[in-house]
Amino acid sequence: MTEEKRSVLRRALRILETIKDAADGLSLSEISRRSGVPLTTTHRIVAELLAWGALERDDSGEYRIGLWLWEVAAVAPRSVGLQRVAQPFMRDLFETTQRGVHLAVREKDQYVFLERLLSPETATDRAQVGGRYELYATAIGLVLLAYAPPELQEKVVTGPLEVPSWHAPVTEHQVRQTLADVRLHGYATTDIRQEYTSVAAPIHGPGGTVVAALSLILRRNEPYAPRLAHLLATVRGISRALGAPQARPRPGVPYDTRVPSVPRSSDMRSSDIRKRG
């Protein structure tokens, strides 16, 4: 491939990423401004993406991601088999608990939602299927990070640790201890905004490796131990269906009861931190 073709491909991918990250549709000029691609080049590339079905144009003239890209993503080996196996278990968990259920996989140093079943009270949540999110900022991400390669863990915990504005600062030491707790206890919990709590656990594949994580969204003040039991039973069922070796249940009771999601002060013990979801 010539350098010119590589440049066009990079620009096309930049345009797609720009439109994907937008909450609403974008005009040509807005796509050009946000992506940094010259307007004339943007016009040409967008026209080709539109012809392929990678983009769609609405009545107002704004562009959005097209259905063709979803069709391509739907046959990705990591998603199609996992979703097919997990969906019946997720549906059972949703109907049993009447709480939102999320399925995610790690993609490099972020995680991506593959499937979400939303309860009416969380239906306006901005997180979306196909969206990418930071591993250290949620329970489902922390679970995936806890079982990621050590070099990736090191990269994440030593990098900038930005969290939503309503969270207290998170430190490298706190994240390291949280990951150790996840590996020890087999799950993580964190607060979501001010109203909800997420509880997440790993899904294992053949060979026992962690291939995904599942989370359950609870009301902030409801006891989560019974819901955690349902979640752990669900991830064990999915793991068995994927061919994971049988694991012995972990003894003891949940270690993480009603404590804050982040430390109240810098000298707070990491065991007092609630893992976020």
Side-chain angles (χ1 to χ4, degrees), residues 3-20:
E3 183 59 35
E4 180 182 358
K5 289 182 178 179
R6 279 194 290 267
S7 176
V8 172
L9 178 58
R10 283 195 292 267
R11 289 177 174 182
L13 293 174
R14 196 183 313 156
I15 286 171
L16 288 172
E17 184 174 13
T18 298
I19 297 173
K20 178 186 74 70

Side-chain angles (χ1 to χ4, degrees), residues 62-258:
E62 295 186 330
Y63 296 87
R64 291 175 169 81
I65 295 298
L67 186 61
W68 180 75
L69 285 183
W70 287 105
E71 293 173 358
V72 171
V75 298
R78 269 210 299 163
S79 67
V80 63
L82 178 59
Q83 283 179 290
R84 185 175 61 248
V85 170
Q87 278 179 343
F89 293 93
M90 293 176 65
R91 179 62 59 182
D92 285 346
L93 179 62
F94 177 77
E95 292 177 354
T96 299
T97 63
Q98 292 298 300
R99 296 293 181 265
V101 183
H102 296 176
L103 174 69
V105 296
R106 181 177 61 82
E107 177 63 19
K108 298 181 180 178
D109 59 354
Q110 295 179 309
Y111 70 88
V112 178
F113 282 127
L114 295 185
E115 186 65 86
R116 303 176 72 221
L117 301 179
L118 300 180
S119 62
E121 58 193 9
T122 59
T124 58
D125 192 347
R126 290 185 178 181
Q128 57 185 336
V129 172
R132 292 172 179 257
Y133 304 92
E134 301 301 330
L135 289 167
Y136 59 83
T138 65
I140 202 166
L142 287 164
V143 166
L144 292 168
L145 182 59
Y147 298 95
E151 58 272 18
L152 177 62
Q153 293 183 31
E154 193 66 19
K155 174 186 174 183
V156 172
V157 300
T158 58
L161 299 174
E162 299 178 2
V163 295
S165 59
W166 50 267
H167 272 292
V170 175
T171 69
E172 176 184 333
H173 172 74
Q174 292 159 9
V175 176
R176 288 186 188 279
Q177 185 59 55
T178 294
L179 298 181
D181 287 343
V182 172
R183 290 187 291 269
L184 176 64
H185 298 282
Y187 72 96
T189 69
T190 68
D191 289 337
I192 306 175
R193 300 190 303 275
Q194 306 295 346
E195 304 94 345
Y196 303 107
T197 291
S198 176
V199 186
I203 295 171
H204 295 81
T209 58
V210 171
V211 296
L214 197 70
S215 69
L216 192 62
I217 309 303
L218 312 176
R219 295 190 186 96
R220 177 80 176 268
N221 295 320
E222 71 176 298
Y224 77 91
R227 306 300 192 191
L228 173 62
H230 287 124
L231 174 67
L232 295 179
T234 300
V235 296
R236 285 196 293 268
I238 297 172
S239 298
R240 284 195 299 270
L242 290 173
Q246 295 280 17
R248 294 180 180 178
R250 295 175 182 272
V253 296
Y255 74 101
D256 186 13
T257 53
R258 299 287 90 184

